[in-house]
Every structure is written in C-alpha cells, then in structure tokens.
C-alpha cells in the first residue's frame, strides 16, 4: 500500500492514540495483542493494513467499536454498550437497595420483639 504521509488512515491514527492513552509502548502493546512490535509499527504508520481478525482484537482490547477504530464515528462505544452499562449500574443500585431494605426489616423485627418483651 502506497500512501502519502499526510493521508494516514484513521485506523493508523486511532490505533496509535489508543495505545498511547493506555501508556503502552509499541513493544508492550504488541505483546498484549499477539503481534510483533514491527507489525504493530507498520499498522500505526499505515505501511500495512490489518486483517479483520486483528481489527476485532483491537476493538475488544481497547473496548471500542470497529466504526470508531476505522474513523467512521467519533463515539468510542455504541449506544447499546452504553445502555447496557447504565442498565448494569441500575441493577447494582437496586441490589444495594434490596440489601439495605432487608437489613432494616431485620432491625425492625428485633425492635418489635424487644418491645413485646418489655
């Protein structure tokens, strides 16, 4: 693939950006992603195009959508993922409320039994 330096793909730009955001060197990121440092460098400089399998691995590792890594959107996560996260937070909050409710009911029972004894 021949490209001018000024026409670096959004994939290459985003790949390097995500790696730097995590504070990883190319060597560290390459090891975590199961590729050589040289190959990762080629992807980040746009000297080579990755296979779909690697794009999916990047998306999973950095928790971004393929649309984001390919530069089709600025949103890192899709709406369904964000909604799922909100739903999980809500479920966790409800579980905490149920636990506190059970604790309060237990304390009320203890107080009621104690009042009956007095």
């Amino acid at each position: 693939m021949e490209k001018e330096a000024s026409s670096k793909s959004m994939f290459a730009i985003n790949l390097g950006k995500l790696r730097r955001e995590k504070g990883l060197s190319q060597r560290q990121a390459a090891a975590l992603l199961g590729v050589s440092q040289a190959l990762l460098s080629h992807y980040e400089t746009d000297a080579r195009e990755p296979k779909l399998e690697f794009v999916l691995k990047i998306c999973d590792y950095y928790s971004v959508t393929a649309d984001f890594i390919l530069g089709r959107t600025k949103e890192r996560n899709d709406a369904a993922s964000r909604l799922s996260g909100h739903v999980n937070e809500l479920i966790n909050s409800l579980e905490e409320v149920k636990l506190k409710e059970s604790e309060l009911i237990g304390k009320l029972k203890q107080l009621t039994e104690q009042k009956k004894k007095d």
Side-chain angles (χ1 to χ4, degrees):
M1 161 194 330
E2 293 182 26
K3 291 197 178 230
E4 296 176 23
S6 63
S7 66
K8 195 172 180 183
S9 74
M10 287 307 298
F11 174 81
I13 292 167
N14 287 335
L15 181 59
K17 179 180 178 181
L18 290 168
R19 175 183 58 77
R20 287 186 299 278
E21 284 177 1
K22 277 204 177 244
L24 298 171
S25 67
Q26 278 187 344
R27 186 177 308 276
Q28 292 168 321
L32 291 166
L33 296 167
V35 296
S36 70
Q37 185 269 326
L39 183 56
L40 184 59
S41 175
H42 287 304
Y43 292 154
E44 286 188 17
T45 59
D46 216 17
R48 294 203 38 201
E49 288 186 4
K51 292 183 179 179
L52 179 59
E53 180 182 336
F54 183 75
V55 173
L56 296 175
K57 189 180 279 193
I58 289 291
C59 292
D60 289 342
Y61 180 75
Y62 291 112
S63 298
V64 296
T65 63
D67 280 343
F68 173 80
I69 195 73
L70 297 173
R72 294 173 48 121
T73 181
K74 292 185 188 279
E75 293 292 322
R76 291 178 180 227
N77 300 34
D78 62 12
S81 295
R82 289 192 306 275
L83 180 59
S84 176
H86 293 305
V87 168
N88 286 335
E89 288 175 16
L90 182 58
I91 289 169
N92 290 338
S93 295
L94 288 172
E95 288 173 355
E96 288 177 25
V97 168
K98 282 182 182 180
L99 181 61
K100 290 183 186 216
E101 181 183 49
S102 292
E103 291 172 0
L104 286 173
I105 289 171
K107 287 180 183 179
L108 284 172
K109 284 181 181 178
Q110 286 177 346
L111 289 171
T112 305
E113 289 174 13
Q114 191 175 21
K115 272 289 195 195
K116 286 180 185 178
K117 291 180 183 176
D118 292 343

